């Protein structure tokens, strides 16, 4: 089971307050939406890039309001970065990079072990 680092300041961060204002909801709900998005990304967007972003992003974050409004709120506050058509979770590599690297190393280790077992 994977975990992701969450800082105690998330609930009072300016980004959290900004999204809460933009969406008309409480900051604690924003925290829940962000944690949902981040934990979804661990398995479904390990690079931190969210493909087909608007609807997928809303579903991943368990946001049931307007997906475009949600995306714009996260972009305008800096929770997400946009580079052309790509949407990336801000600083994803800093927070999830070690887990993604460890998973890749484990996959390679298991692949090597299976290949050696087949050759025996």
């Amino acid at each position: 089971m994977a975990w992701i680092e969450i800082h105690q300041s998330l609930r009072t961060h300016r980004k959290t307050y900004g999204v809460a204002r933009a969406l008309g909801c409480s900051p604690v709900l924003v925290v829940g939406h962000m944690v949902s998005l981040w934990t979804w990304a661990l398995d479904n967007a390990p690079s931190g890039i969210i493909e087909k972003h608007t609807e997928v992003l809303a579903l991943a974050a368990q946001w049931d309001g307007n997906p475009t409004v949600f995306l714009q709120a996260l972009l305008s506050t800096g929770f997400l970065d946009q580079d052309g058509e790509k949407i990336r979770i801000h600083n994803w590599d800093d927070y999830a990079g070690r887990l993604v690297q460890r998973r890749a190393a484990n996959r390679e280790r298991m692949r090597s072990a299976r290949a050696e077992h087949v050759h025996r």
Side-chain angles (χ1 to χ4, degrees):
M1 179 173 291
W3 61 273
I4 189 161
E5 183 177 332
I6 304 294
H7 292 211
Q8 88 282 355
S9 62
L10 177 61
R11 65 184 181 81
T12 58
H13 197 279
R14 64 177 174 73
K15 291 179 185 180
T16 303
Y17 287 148
V19 172
R21 275 192 305 277
L23 299 179
C25 67
S26 69
V28 72
L29 287 177
V30 175
V31 170
H33 291 304
M34 294 311 301
V35 170
S36 293
L37 174 62
W38 294 331
T39 56
W40 170 88
L42 287 172
D43 291 324
N44 297 283
S47 67
I49 296 173
I50 301 171
E51 304 290 338
K52 301 176 186 164
H53 42 75
T54 306
E55 289 79 18
V56 169
L57 182 79
L59 287 170
Q62 299 183 9
W63 171 254
D64 59 3
N66 183 316
T68 303
V69 171
F70 185 68
L71 172 62
Q72 289 307 314
L74 297 184
L75 286 169
S76 68
T77 57
F79 271 123
L80 299 177
D81 300 321
Q82 185 166 15
D83 181 17
E85 291 296 310
K86 289 186 179 180
I87 300 291
R88 178 183 299 274
I89 299 171
H90 183 73
N91 285 344
W92 182 248
D93 290 337
D94 293 344
Y95 294 103
R98 289 178 298 220
L99 174 65
V100 171
Q101 290 170 354
R102 190 171 66 237
R103 284 181 170 179
N106 284 342
R107 277 193 305 274
E108 183 56 37
R109 182 181 53 78
M110 292 302 294
R111 190 176 5 258
S112 295
R114 283 190 298 272
E116 186 167 318
H117 180 72
V118 168
H119 291 300
R120 287 184 184 171

